Amino acid sequence: MGPRSHVRLVVLHVLVMSLLLSLGGRLWYLQVMNGAHYKKVAADNRIREIVVPAVRGQILDDVGRPLVRNRTALVVSVDRTALIRQRDGGRAVLQRLANLLGTRYDELALKVRLCGPGIKRPCWPGSPYQPIPIDDRVDARKALQIMERQEDFPGVTAQLEPVRDYPRTEGATAAQALGYLQPITQDELNSRKGLKVTGFSGVDLIGRDGLEAVYDGDLRGVPGDRRVLVDNRGRVTGIASEQPPVGGGTLVTSIDAKVQGIVEKALSQAMQDARHRGDPADSAASVVLDVRTGRIIALASFPTYDPSVWTGGISQDEYDALLSKQHGQPLISRATDGQFAPGSTFKISSLPAAVKDGYSLHGIYPCPSSYMVGARAFSNFEGESGGDIDLHRALVMSCDTIFYKFAYEEWLRDGGMHPVKNPKDPMEKMARAYGFGRRTGIDLPGEAPGRIPDRAWKLSYWNDTKKTDCKRAKTGYPEIAKTDPARAAYLKAISSENCVDGYVFRAGDAANFSVGQGDVLVTPLQLARAYAALANGGTLWSPRVGKAVIAPDGSVRRRIDPVKSGRLPVPSNVLTYIRKALTDVPKEGTAAGAFGGFPFDRLAVAGKTGTAEVYGKKDTSWFASFAPANKPRYVVVAMVTQAGTGATTAAPAVRQIWEGMYGLTGKPPALPDGNVPDRLPTLAPDGTVNAPPGFAVTSDDRQPAPAKDKQPVPAKDEQPTPAEDRRRAPAKEERSVPANDERSAPAHRRRPR
Amino acid sequence: MISEYGGALGRRRSLPARLLASPARRLDWALLLAVLALSVIGAVLVYSATRADGSEGFLKKHVLNLAIGLILGGVTTALDYRLLRAYAPIVYGAACLGLAVVLTPVGATVNGSHSWIVVGGGFQIQPSEFAKVGMVVLLAMILGEPRDGEVGPGRRDILLALALAALPAGLVMLQPDLGTTLVFATVIIGVLSMSGAPKLWVGGLIGAAAALAVTVWWTHLLKPYQVHRFTAFADPSADPQGAGYNAQQARIAVGSGGVFGNGLFHGEQTNGHFVPEQHTDFIFTVAGEELGFIGAALIVALLGVVLWRGLRIAREAADLFGGLVATGVVCWLAFQTFENIGMTVGIMPITGLPLPFVSYGGSAAFANFIAVGLLQTVHLRHNPYE
């Protein structure tokens, strides 16, 4: 080699050695100087914390039949974060998945996007880091393909997970009472301590309504913690530490599946029959209450829906249907959240109020066909005159004019249009004592308080509405005047009247109140517990659906008992008097038609019809009852909106319910000897449920599916006359129903007296 | 003079003595021992990286590869390197043919590079490894022609060398195999400068390489994954799932080894397969994690011995051709060593190059041992009078 090469060789020598030295230096820096740091990073790298889900508890009825249970399903889920990381954002994977599952790519793409403002369902309402369940009815072959061809389906998993199952035992749906689950939202994760995302898509759900929501903490259980060693693909190579999950508790309710099934059948039958008669019958509700304990035996609301639509992600159509008015908003539990004018069923409050105010319980009062309240005549229903009658008769034949008289005279004594300083308002006070106008405190969410339209309410309502009324008093109703000048003028007159003194509690308000009309609103549950108080001697319960929570090992974790929330300020002789009067209603009074041929010797049913007029709509049909009359055990209340008189629609439904509960039509009774179990069903550690002594979980009398048996049809001649000629007192509008219903324009709210 | 080994004693010479007297005695033993040590360490590390799969398949194949490599190296050692001049065109032609075949449908793609020919029976050939041998021999042949009076090669020789080198380099770039391309560039510059070529050529070539790199960079001729690999080393968090992930995991594995390492077979990052390609390109992370600074530095030192001996052989070569062959081998191995370890410790971008003598891989092992054989044959014949 030449001299030039030698020099360059030395340069190369130096270069090579310095490169090696720099490698050594870098190793020194990484391993010696920063070794501790990297050791810690490495530990974080390979230990994963896994939340082990606790299986959610079941919901059982009073003898241990399942209302909600779990079934194991193969759930296909998609990990959004893994999809996003893919080069095409997961498009190819979703396309393959859509092909495999027999659906379309765009449908899957909609399901895996995140819900947010302006994004309609379907979308994922849960945390972005949770796997999103796509399908929970995948057959094993497809699931296997997904798991075995992970290279084709990165970010997609198929695993066995427990999902909610609704067996509809004995035909009982109780959809609104049971409620439903929805994915935990990020907000809920942040706000509720102890909630953990498990990564098991089927379990990261939270009760969003009904019992599932109220008892979520009991049903959910405590997820376990497992720290595992993983490799780069997340495959578990070992366990570092483990804390097992504590299973969710089983909720035993006081709902009896058999009675619930009977109630639902009776209601849907009543709605069907009303529709055959030409009424819309657009909603219905029913409550069965144990008067001695305040426990709910059945709670039904129509229209209803199949709760299994929530399982495995709800589709856009299904979700729209649940919310749409066209489908009657089936999510709303009308038994607890719906507010309706109670009509004459309200008289069990007005009567003792009058007696307390000094009217003799044994007095004889005139029942003319109409009564002058101030300058306006308030008529009896159908304009009948009853002659001079006692209060017993007034209840049996449902005379209104007696109550108008009481209310008007009391109103005058309170000062009339210029009220005294502390008006007595006996009827309003008694209504509040019966628990109306406030929530019952039942263990269900979304309960409505109802409304007692007393003086304070009128004032606050006037404050809310006078601005609009006063504006309308000036401008009138030009848009209505175009087509109907008379009506526009009439509305303008009301507006100016309301503008000036809309806060005054008027004679007409008092008269309407006494018969459960006007602005009075109650929930079916409130009415049921008022009748329970009447039946049990005066105890007002805060009812409960839940009875106890049982731990997976069978021990009772906690008991849930109804709370006494008040006592009726009514002497027992007055209560006895009213109960006796109501005993005659089905026998010879307004409900005699519906109860024609009823075996009163086997079960003495007492009750009261109610026909509430609703402005612009057909009447709300009510029947509130209790039995056995001499020693009451249960209250049954039924209500059907836009369905005619109480006698026509609600009373037959209630009759059907009593017959089913006590087995009066030859079938075995739903309640053996008319009893519900006091004791709880027991849970064996293996999960089998044993009914309390004297009761059986399995039923031997499977009901045929669309049963069309013995619907008591009222005798033809006892059918009430059509609606036109029975306009009574003032017409009112319904301002009841659910909170999300739009309220009608305030100017329309009051009719002239 | 009485022979020390004469008489009865001489006839009954022991076997070691006989071996010492043979040409084997004149082998560069430091070089050979360093290579063997690296091979043994490499085999153990390959086993450590692959034993989690529950089989010793990789280890067995690796040992087989090493054995074949040793034979190829021995044959090369036995050849008079001067004869290689005659064979150089054949070696070169075979290398180019192999590289061309790879680009046909016969070639197979592994890890994003279309660099393989599947032979069958689970064996694959990577022609670019053998092309490195061809490149070294060809450049040395052209630029190491015996010259009279001239200090360095003439312009014609240089242009011819560059032209012939451009063919395999172009074929490799088409695969695309950035790592091998860079090895070629290093070898070309190294051999050219050591051949005594004028400064202008050497400087111009380095400048041209730099300019080409910049051009390629700015005109986005590189595929996106190549750019990613290149930039990820600077900021591993930029692409935590791709090349950045590799760089980050490699750094974590090496760093967590500390001074003494977690012990052989006790590397938890290794057992968890956090570092990809751990038995091939990222084998050094196993050493870093399980053997610590001590073990990692030992490997660097052993590779240093190999390069140092190679440079010594280049300096003491009997002729320019031998010197340039040795220089080419040193440039090749040096670049691969620095690039491979550099990328695992985060001071070089990630390219697909194995660590000489340590990484798993048949073609690379064969080529590396042939390279050692080249060094040995040049060393054996460094005395022109023998």
Side-chain angles (χ1 to χ4, degrees):
Chain A
M1 280 190 150
R4 190 191 274 167
S5 301
H6 268 285
V7 174
R8 291 181 184 175
L9 206 56
V10 172
V11 172
L12 182 63
H13 214 124
V14 171
L15 188 67
V16 166
M17 291 309 147
S18 56
L19 287 180
L20 293 180
L21 271 179
S22 63
L23 287 182
R26 177 68 178 177
L27 284 174
W28 178 269
Y29 171 79
L30 281 182
Q31 299 188 289
V32 181
M33 291 171 68
N34 289 304
H37 164 71
Y38 281 107
K39 270 191 204 303
K40 193 180 157 296
V41 175
D44 292 345
N45 212 5
R46 59 175 192 270
I47 289 184
R48 294 274 187 287
E49 196 172 304
I50 293 181
V51 179
V52 187
V55 176
R56 197 175 176 87
Q58 308 183 76
I59 301 179
L60 305 179
D61 84 343
D62 57 347
V63 301
R65 304 177 194 104
L67 296 171
V68 183
R69 63 187 175 192
N70 300 305
R71 77 183 149 83
T72 316
L74 268 167
V75 179
V76 172
S77 315
V78 169
D79 183 352
R80 246 189 119 257
T81 44
L83 280 194
I84 291 170
R85 274 199 223 114
Q86 287 159 25
R87 218 169 284 169
D88 59 349
R91 198 185 165 88
V93 172
L94 281 187
Q95 229 138 26
R96 274 193 290 272
L97 189 60
N99 284 342
L100 183 71
L101 299 178
T103 166
R104 290 202 327 274
Y105 163 77
D106 8 328
E107 263 178 48
L108 291 191
L110 289 180
K111 273 191 178 181
V112 301
R113 65 188 179 153
L114 296 177
C115 289
I119 296 177
K120 281 178 66 187
R121 305 253 179 167
C123 57
W124 173 243
S127 156
Y129 304 106
Q130 273 179 276
I132 301 170
I134 292 295
D135 196 338
D136 72 338
R137 292 181 192 273
V138 184
D139 65 52
R141 190 179 51 81
K142 286 178 180 171
L144 211 63
Q145 279 197 51
I146 290 169
M147 291 323 283
E148 289 194 340
R149 284 164 47 205
Q150 270 296 294
E151 68 277 9
D152 283 348
F153 296 105
V156 183
T157 53
Q159 49 192 183
L160 280 174
E161 289 173 11
V163 298
R164 277 318 216 192
D165 185 38
Y166 304 87
R168 307 180 77 137
T169 314
E170 310 288 347
T173 317
Q176 298 87 356
L178 296 175
Y180 54 89
L181 303 176
Q182 277 286 277
I184 299 178
T185 63
Q186 198 60 48
D187 287 347
E188 281 166 328
L189 271 179
N190 297 341
S191 64
R192 246 179 85 173
K193 255 188 169 178
L195 280 185
K196 280 179 187 163
V197 172
T198 58
F200 285 72
S201 55
V203 198
D204 287 339
L205 300 169
I206 194 166
R208 200 40 71 64
D209 198 4
L211 294 170
E212 295 270 30
V214 172
Y215 293 104
D216 189 70
D218 294 299
L219 293 165
R220 165 176 298 276
V222 184
D225 236 351
R226 188 189 289 156
R227 289 161 62 80
V228 294
L229 302 168
V230 295
D231 66 7
N232 64 326
R233 292 189 187 168
R235 280 183 302 216
V236 176
T237 56
I239 295 174
S241 69
E242 188 167 16
Q243 192 199 351
V246 182
T250 296
L251 176 67
V252 176
T253 66
S254 55
I255 289 178
D256 188 280
K258 281 190 177 178
V259 177
Q260 178 76 27
I262 290 164
V263 167
E264 289 179 22
K265 209 173 91 184
L267 277 189
S268 85
Q269 180 98 50
M271 289 170 81
Q272 254 182 48
D273 292 345
R275 285 173 187 170
H276 281 306
R277 287 190 294 269
D279 289 325
D282 51 1
S283 70
S286 179
V287 179
V288 179
L289 201 57
D290 187 328
V291 303
R292 301 179 313 171
T293 60
R295 294 196 188 276
I296 300 283
I297 310 294
L299 194 71
S301 173
F302 278 82
T304 188
Y305 70 99
D306 179 359
S308 62
V309 298
W310 293 105
T311 309
I314 188 163
S315 79
Q316 176 72 57
D317 290 349
E318 287 165 336
Y319 192 74
D320 287 346
L322 290 185
L323 295 181
S324 77
K325 286 197 176 168
Q326 193 197 334
H327 290 83
Q329 296 172 304
L331 281 187
I332 291 159
S333 173
R334 287 171 167 81
T336 54
D337 310 359
Q339 311 184 101
F340 312 90
S344 297
T345 57
F346 199 61
K347 287 173 185 163
I348 62 155
S349 164
S350 300
L351 190 144
V355 171
K356 204 175 179 196
D357 199 34
Y359 293 96
S360 166
L361 185 63
H362 303 288
I364 301 293
Y365 304 94
C367 176
S369 64
S370 73
Y371 178 82
M372 293 301 288
V373 177
R376 187 180 160 88
F378 275 54
S379 307
N380 248 349
F381 187 64
E382 293 170 28
E384 285 170 1
S385 162
D388 288 348
I389 54 171
D390 60 4
L391 291 177
H392 180 101
R393 189 82 202 130
L395 284 178
V396 172
M397 68 168 284
S398 203
C399 175
D400 289 342
T401 46
I402 288 180
F403 289 90
Y404 295 150
K405 171 185 152 73
F406 294 159
Y408 184 50
E409 289 171 3
E410 283 166 350
W411 178 77
L412 287 176
R413 283 199 288 277
D414 276 338
M417 288 296 283
H418 305 285
V420 298
K421 199 167 178 201
N422 285 311
K424 283 166 79 182
D425 291 340
M427 298 239 180
E428 287 75 13
K429 282 181 184 150
M430 183 56 77
R432 289 201 184 277
Y434 263 92
F436 297 115
R438 66 184 153 100
R439 293 182 174 86
T440 66
I442 191 177
D443 48 351
L444 287 175
E447 194 191 1
R451 183 203 295 153
I452 295 304
D454 54 13
R455 297 172 197 274
W457 177 81
K458 286 221 63 163
L459 182 62
S460 77
Y461 194 81
W462 179 72
N463 279 327
D464 290 347
T465 58
K466 66 180 171 192
K467 216 175 148 190
T468 329
D469 276 338
C470 294
K471 197 177 147 208
R472 283 295 191 180
K474 279 187 198 142
T475 61
Y477 288 78
E479 71 276 13
I480 295 174
K482 278 180 209 156
T483 52
D484 191 351
R487 181 167 161 75
Y490 165 78
L491 289 173
K492 189 181 174 188
I494 296 174
S495 288
S496 55
E497 192 178 286
N498 284 343
C499 170
V500 179
D501 59 355
Y503 59 91
V504 179
F505 189 76
R506 291 157 195 275
D509 293 329
N512 279 335
F513 188 91
S514 67
V515 295
Q517 291 279 176
D519 291 315
V520 184
L521 294 176
V522 306
T523 68
L525 179 67
Q526 284 176 331
L527 195 68
R529 79 154 170 173
Y531 272 76
L534 167 71
N536 67 22
T539 303
L540 202 62
W541 288 103
S542 177
R544 291 289 181 272
V545 183
K547 215 171 168 186
V549 178
I550 301 181
D553 62 5
S555 64
V556 176
R557 218 177 250 169
R558 71 181 176 111
R559 288 175 191 278
I560 303 147
D561 289 315
V563 176
K564 286 179 186 170
S565 65
R567 259 205 91 72
L568 299 186
V570 182
S572 67
N573 68 315
V574 178
L575 292 178
T576 311
Y577 185 91
I578 299 171
R579 283 202 298 266
K580 225 170 154 223
L582 297 193
T583 312
D584 284 341
V585 172
K587 280 183 185 156
E588 55 190 62
T590 49
F595 279 84
F598 188 84
F600 288 107
D601 53 330
R602 290 174 64 190
L603 181 71
V605 173
K608 181 76 197 78
T609 55
T611 308
E613 294 176 28
V614 180
Y615 178 73
K617 289 186 175 175
K618 294 205 168 180
D619 296 347
T620 303
S621 169
W622 286 97
F623 194 71
S625 66
F626 56 88
N630 55 339
K631 201 183 169 200
R633 275 298 308 264
Y634 308 107
V635 157
V636 176
V637 168
M639 180 238 41
V640 186
T641 56
Q642 305 214 69
T645 64
T648 329
T649 306
V654 170
R655 172 185 178 152
Q656 205 178 325
I657 293 166
W658 285 118
E659 285 171 344
M661 284 167 69
Y662 282 86
L664 303 180
T665 53
K667 287 191 173 184
L671 303 178
D673 303 322
N675 286 320
V676 288
D678 287 331
R679 296 172 61 179
L680 296 171
T682 53
L683 234 72
D686 66 352
T688 50
V689 180
N690 293 308
F695 294 85
V697 174
T698 50
S699 78
D700 33 7
D701 56 327
R702 288 256 162 228
Q703 297 182 354
K708 246 243 152 152
D709 44 36
K710 51 96 223 199
Q711 156 68 1
V713 179
K716 275 274 183 307
D717 51 334
E718 283 161 331
Q719 288 249 358
T721 42
E724 278 76 31
D725 49 7
R726 55 185 164 85
R727 187 110 336 255
R728 161 178 67 160
K732 298 106 203 158
E733 82 187 74
E734 179 186 32
R735 215 166 295 111
S736 46
V737 199
N740 54 353
D741 239 349
E742 296 162 37
R743 294 184 67 125
S744 45
H748 296 227
R749 67 173 246 292
R750 210 185 65 194
R751 314 268 63 89
R753 296 161 302 272
Chain B
M1 195 171 154
I2 300 168
S3 164
E4 274 179 30
Y5 303 110
L9 192 66
R11 284 195 302 278
R12 287 160 69 191
R13 276 190 299 183
S14 63
L15 184 67
R18 267 184 283 144
L19 276 175
L20 282 171
S22 78
R25 191 183 164 200
R26 297 196 311 275
L27 283 175
D28 190 328
W29 280 98
L31 171 64
L32 185 58
L33 287 175
V35 166
L36 289 176
L38 284 169
S39 299
V40 170
I41 293 173
V44 173
L45 295 180
V46 165
Y47 179 59
S48 177
T50 57
R51 76 198 169 90
D53 301 333
S55 84
E56 292 163 359
F58 276 103
L59 178 64
K60 285 176 180 165
K61 258 170 101 173
H62 187 64
V63 171
L64 180 65
N65 288 337
L66 291 177
I68 297 173
L70 270 174
I71 294 170
L72 289 175
V75 170
T76 314
T77 304
L79 281 177
D80 187 335
Y81 71 92
R82 283 159 294 208
L83 290 177
L84 275 175
R85 271 183 218 252
Y87 296 137
I90 303 172
V91 176
Y92 171 80
C96 288
L97 186 69
L99 290 175
V101 168
V102 164
L103 295 174
T104 68
V106 177
T109 302
V110 177
N111 294 331
S113 279
H114 201 73
S115 321
W116 305 82
I117 297 172
V118 177
V119 182
F123 285 90
Q124 304 160 320
I125 293 178
Q126 200 178 4
S128 54
E129 287 294 339
F130 299 103
K132 290 170 188 168
V133 178
M135 183 68 93
V136 166
V137 173
L138 176 89
L139 288 173
M141 184 197 85
I142 296 169
L143 299 172
E145 284 286 337
R147 291 182 291 268
D148 295 319
E150 292 288 328
V151 183
R155 194 162 41 151
R156 271 189 54 208
D157 288 340
I158 293 173
L159 283 175
L160 178 67
L162 288 179
L164 288 173
L167 177 62
L171 288 171
V172 165
M173 278 170 104
L174 285 175
Q175 290 182 357
D177 182 347
L178 193 62
T180 304
T181 311
L182 291 172
V183 170
F184 284 178
T186 311
V187 169
I188 291 169
I189 291 171
V191 173
L192 194 73
S193 57
M194 230 49 68
S195 70
K199 272 183 198 152
L200 201 65
W201 275 103
V202 178
L205 210 57
I206 293 173
L212 186 72
V214 172
T215 313
V216 164
W217 184 262
W218 282 102
T219 54
H220 303 286
L221 279 175
L222 287 176
K223 303 220 153 82
Y225 85 91
Q226 290 174 312
V227 178
H228 273 148
R229 279 178 163 192
F230 241 86
T231 47
F233 85 97
D235 179 13
S237 56
D239 176 20
Q241 282 311 300
Y245 172 84
N246 295 6
Q248 200 165 23
Q249 293 298 331
R251 212 179 289 181
I252 291 171
V254 172
S256 68
V259 178
F260 301 104
N262 295 329
L264 193 61
F265 305 141
H266 288 88
E268 278 163 344
Q269 302 296 302
T270 300
N271 293 339
H273 298 289
F274 285 95
V275 185
E277 295 302 316
Q278 208 169 12
H279 59 297
T280 58
D281 294 354
F282 283 94
I283 189 80
F284 192 74
T285 60
V286 184
E289 190 191 8
E290 300 192 344
L291 308 178
F293 177 74
I294 306 285
L298 175 67
I299 292 176
V300 174
L302 286 171
L303 285 162
V305 169
V306 172
L307 297 175
W308 167 56
R309 297 306 293 188
L311 284 167
R312 218 182 85 117
I313 290 167
R315 195 172 68 232
E316 296 177 352
D319 52 16
L320 185 58
F321 173 66
L324 291 185
V325 165
T327 303
V329 168
V330 168
C331 287
W332 157 18
L333 295 182
F335 179 79
Q336 248 177 259
T337 299
F338 184 68
E339 164 57 33
N340 180 282
I341 298 180
M343 76 180 181
T344 62
V345 297
I347 57 173
M348 286 295 279
I350 291 174
T351 56
L353 281 177
L355 184 60
F357 310 109
V358 182
S359 285
Y360 175 85
S363 300
F366 302 163
N368 292 337
F369 277 103
I370 291 172
V372 173
L374 287 175
L375 290 179
Q376 293 285 13
T377 181
V378 171
H379 174 70
L380 279 178
R381 292 160 184 89
H382 76 271
N383 183 355
Y385 303 109
E386 188 169 312

